[in-house]
Amino acid sequence: MFNCYLFKTTSGYCAMASKPHPPLMKKHSQSDLVSRLKTRKILGVGGEDDDGEVHRSKLSQMLGNDIKYQVREPVGLRLWIVISALTFTVMALMALVCPNQLYEVVFEEEINKTSISIRLYGGALLSLSLILWNGVYAQEKVIIQWTLLSEACYFAVQFIVTSVTLVEMGSFPNAAILLLLSRVLFLLVTLFYYYHLGRGRPKKI
């Protein structure tokens, strides 16, 4: 479209048409591309890291929001954490309330020493159960991974300690053997979830 301008001359006014301005062309330079990528990263829009997680918004980090985008969890992960937390809680309460009976059930012999060591074991087990209960509602993948890793370490240590104790005693009660087998099973399941959670892909929204 032409623009018309009026200007005054000695003989009167004269109209003059000007040529249209060419349309502005968008610049797709390298600097513009880098700027757009930085803006998307700051806003937390799109993009994945090497672990397959969506980039967390820099604004949310500055505001103290540590909740990341949800990742694809292995099937049954939350149920397994609930079962583990419930098991740890029950065992802890049994060790605190009736330590002698718990020892006699596992090793099939009466305990003559003080039960303070078993009660301390129950207290440590109760503390670990609180970590597991927190992992049930946790959204951060790293928190869930550390929860599973703590659980796996406990199962491994308990298996080693129980095995050494049975060898020193020279007897292998059925209850103790069953306990060892259950610790191996729990350890394998926990490591399975820990491994697959680390390889999880983010959910597409």
Side-chain angles (χ1 to χ4, degrees):
M1 182 177 182
F2 291 90
N3 297 327
C4 184
Y5 296 94
L6 296 177
F7 59 94
K8 187 175 181 181
T9 61
T10 55
S11 60
Y13 289 92
C14 178
M16 178 178 180
S18 62
K19 294 182 180 181
H21 296 285
L24 296 177
M25 302 297 294
K26 294 183 178 180
K27 297 181 179 180
H28 297 281
S29 62
Q30 185 69 19
S31 60
D32 293 337
L33 179 60
V34 174
S35 178
R36 288 195 297 270
L37 291 176
K38 288 182 178 180
T39 302
R40 290 170 64 87
K41 189 172 183 180
I42 292 176
L43 296 177
V45 180
E48 298 179 357
D49 54 20
D50 296 335
D51 296 330
E53 291 190 19
V54 180
H55 290 302
R56 184 174 54 175
S57 172
K58 296 296 182 182
L59 297 178
S60 65
Q61 295 181 24
M62 295 172 61
L63 295 175
N65 183 8
D66 293 334
I67 299 179
K68 291 186 177 179
Y69 292 91
Q70 292 182 344
V71 296
R72 188 175 301 279
E73 298 177 352
V75 179
L77 173 63
R78 299 291 177 172
L79 179 60
W80 173 253
I81 298 179
V82 170
I83 294 175
S84 300
L86 186 60
T87 303
F88 276 53
T89 303
V90 172
M91 294 295 295
L93 294 178
M94 291 179 61
L96 290 172
V97 176
C98 48
N100 295 338
Q101 289 77 0
L102 180 62
Y103 182 88
E104 293 173 3
V105 168
V106 175
F107 297 101
E108 296 183 359
E109 66 175 19
E110 296 183 358
I111 181 173
N112 299 323
K113 300 180 181 179
T114 177
S115 58
I116 185 173
S117 58
I118 302 180
R119 294 185 189 275
L120 290 175
Y121 162 76
L125 205 59
L126 184 61
S127 301
L128 189 57
S129 69
L130 296 179
I131 299 178
L132 292 173
W133 284 117
N134 179 71
V136 175
Y137 305 99
Q139 297 297 327
E140 281 273 0
K141 189 180 80 170
V142 64
I143 295 180
I144 302 177
Q145 284 183 311
W146 276 106
T147 300
L148 294 173
L149 187 59
S150 301
E151 183 181 1
C153 290
Y154 166 78
F155 291 141
V157 171
Q158 187 183 33
F159 177 83
I160 295 174
V161 172
T162 305
S163 301
V164 172
T165 303
L166 293 176
V167 171
E168 292 177 348
M169 292 173 54
S171 61
F172 298 90
N174 294 332
I177 297 299
L178 183 61
L179 176 64
L180 291 178
L181 294 177
S182 65
R183 298 306 94 172
V184 172
L185 177 62
F186 275 47
L187 177 61
L188 293 178
V189 175
T190 303
L191 290 179
F192 168 81
Y193 281 119
Y194 176 81
Y195 173 74
H196 282 277
L197 183 63
R199 300 175 63 250
R201 303 294 295 175
K203 291 181 179 179
K204 294 182 179 180
I205 303 176

